[in-house]
Amino acid sequence: MSTDIDESIDWLGAPLDCGTCIHADLLANDKCQPLRACVFDRYARRIDRFFDWNPELASGYLNHPYFEVRACAAKAADIFLLPALLNDPEEAVRWNAARRLPNRYLLKLRNDPHREVRIRVAQRLDPPDLRPMISDSDYAVRQIVARRIAPDLLLLMVNDPDIEVRRVVARRIPIASLRMIIHDPEGGVRVEAAQRLEPQGLVELVKDEDWRIRYEVASRAPLEIIARLLQDEDPIVRETAEKRLSPNKGDGAATGATTRER
């Protein structure tokens, strides 16, 4: 079932007239179609379809005043004409040009004013080229950077203002650098770090205010500090500590731990 809108108007709102169109010959040869494939229609889907059917015409429309025409034309135009579109005022045009160009052209768009362009750039650039985006103003861009950049460079992101960015950092930062994160103000970030720490590194988290972190301590820390958790306010933490100190008491802690979201 077609989802096309049942009207045929141009980008300025005027009715379209195939009889006066410069591409009337295409209509006669089934290379365009009213309400389906038309470069002068206001709807992007129809413009896109026109260039799918007539890619050889795309290069001639890169300067069209309607940005949807330029954006759709960029998908099929001569690749040597695309660098000029990186300065286009519309983000859709810039991105459709950039996605077809070698990655070196993406470097220019690392500071693009539109977040969606920068998000896509961060997804495509080689990790070494992401360093300037560590301090991007948008958290979604920084999350992608944190997932893809070299782990050693994550040291520059441990104080990121966004919790989810710091969670990604905690999952990927070298283990030797985890101590930079274990006192993060957000429990969710500290949990990510605690789960990767070596047992000895858990010792200083024995009094953490988050029960999930104390549970991690009770589960894996050296036995000599587990006794400090036998009076813990959280029953799961207490039971886990008791089981580790008296392993023959059964598996109640393991059962209890599965009943609470961590």
Side-chain angles (χ1 to χ4, degrees):
M1 179 178 178
S2 174
T3 59
D4 279 342
I5 298 172
D6 188 20
E7 64 176 351
S8 184
I9 56 178
D10 67 16
W11 67 288
L12 295 175
L16 290 170
D17 181 0
C18 294
T20 62
C21 180
I22 62 173
H23 293 308
D25 59 320
L26 297 179
L27 180 62
N29 291 295
D30 293 325
K31 298 289 283 182
C32 63
Q33 182 180 332
L35 299 176
R36 180 161 176 80
C38 177
V39 70
F40 298 117
D41 202 294
R42 74 185 302 171
Y43 295 105
R45 181 179 298 176
R46 297 171 188 173
I47 300 169
D48 211 19
R49 199 174 285 132
F50 177 88
F51 289 124
D52 282 344
W53 294 5
N54 305 281
E56 71 281 0
L57 298 177
S59 295
Y61 282 94
L62 296 179
N63 293 313
H64 193 277
Y66 185 32
F67 81 94
E68 291 284 17
V69 172
R70 300 196 306 277
C72 294
K75 299 178 184 179
D78 186 332
I79 194 170
F80 294 105
L81 299 177
L82 298 182
L85 296 183
L86 298 181
N87 295 314
D88 193 277
E90 290 290 334
E91 68 272 6
V93 180
R94 296 194 300 273
W95 175 245
N96 280 342
R99 67 195 301 208
R100 294 184 56 212
L101 290 166
N103 271 16
R104 68 178 183 274
Y105 288 95
L106 293 178
L107 299 177
K108 181 177 181 179
L109 299 181
R110 289 182 297 194
N111 294 314
D112 192 274
H114 199 280
R115 71 185 296 268
E116 291 299 330
V117 173
R118 300 197 310 279
I119 286 172
R120 291 169 178 172
V121 168
Q123 290 169 335
R124 262 196 56 186
L125 278 178
D126 294 329
D129 293 324
L130 291 173
R131 180 165 181 164
M133 303 185 82
I134 284 175
S135 57
D136 191 276
S137 61
D138 192 275
Y139 76 95
V141 175
R142 299 196 307 277
Q143 281 188 37
I144 296 169
V145 172
R147 293 189 194 108
R148 301 191 61 234
I149 205 165
D152 287 346
L153 291 178
L154 290 172
L155 297 174
L156 302 174
M157 303 186 78
V158 295
N159 294 316
D160 190 277
D162 185 79
I163 297 170
E164 294 305 317
V165 173
R166 300 200 307 276
R167 286 174 67 106
V168 175
V169 172
R171 294 185 199 117
R172 297 192 61 234
I173 199 169
I175 290 179
S177 301
L178 278 173
R179 291 195 73 258
M180 298 176 65
I181 301 175
I182 60 174
H183 297 299
D184 189 278
E186 292 293 332
V189 178
R190 299 198 304 277
V191 169
E192 298 284 357
Q195 290 174 344
R196 296 182 59 217
L197 281 171
E198 299 292 343
Q200 190 61 44
L202 291 167
V203 173
E204 62 183 292
L205 296 178
V206 68
K207 294 183 178 180
D208 193 280
E209 63 184 22
D210 192 305
W211 77 270
R212 297 170 298 174
I213 296 167
R214 299 197 307 279
Y215 172 82
E216 199 69 30
V217 175
S219 300
R220 299 195 298 111
L223 288 178
E224 57 266 26
I225 72 159
I226 298 302
R228 296 165 62 181
L229 295 172
L230 292 175
Q231 303 300 319
D232 193 272
E233 63 183 30
D234 188 274
I236 303 301
V237 175
R238 291 198 306 271
E239 291 168 8
T240 302
E242 290 170 359
K243 181 183 177 183
R244 287 201 59 208
L245 291 173
S246 304
N248 295 326
K249 284 190 174 182
D251 58 357
T255 301
T258 62
T259 65
R260 187 190 300 194
E261 181 182 357
R262 293 182 60 196

